Amino acid sequence: MQTMSYSQSRSNYAAARDAVQNDGEEVVITRSGKEPLVMASPANARRLRGAIDRLEDRSGVEHELLPCRYHFE
């Protein structure tokens, strides 16, 4: 997972998009005073949305979260 500032994401948009699209990597975009944003491939976004839906309709299995390796400002 890559992390970059909003300014970096604008300057390197094509490279960030390629990392997401071609490598399946998520890119976290930070912006001062705002919540971070995650850019993910459509396939990963669908998987995440499906997992959320299953948990909300109680057909999913809840697991403990792994420790976070990333620090968001």
Side-chain angles (χ1 to χ4, degrees):
M1 185 178 302
Q2 263 184 75
T3 301
M4 62 178 63
S5 71
Y6 177 72
S7 297
Q8 290 170 321
S9 70
R10 289 181 64 198
S11 297
N12 300 298
Y13 181 76
R17 187 187 185 290
D18 288 346
V20 170
Q21 187 70 35
N22 299 333
D23 304 332
E25 184 173 359
E26 289 84 18
V27 176
V28 178
I29 301 171
T30 60
R31 190 171 179 189
S32 182
K34 306 283 185 180
E35 289 289 323
L37 157 76
V38 178
M39 187 185 321
S41 71
N44 283 346
R46 279 190 299 274
R47 288 182 64 217
L48 178 59
R49 186 71 246 170
I52 291 168
D53 289 344
R54 285 188 300 280
L55 287 174
E56 286 178 346
D57 72 12
R58 304 201 187 282
S59 66
V61 177
E62 199 167 330
H63 298 276
E64 222 173 286
L65 292 175
L66 297 174
C68 184
R69 300 183 320 219
Y70 306 100
H71 173 71
F72 302 109
E73 298 175 12

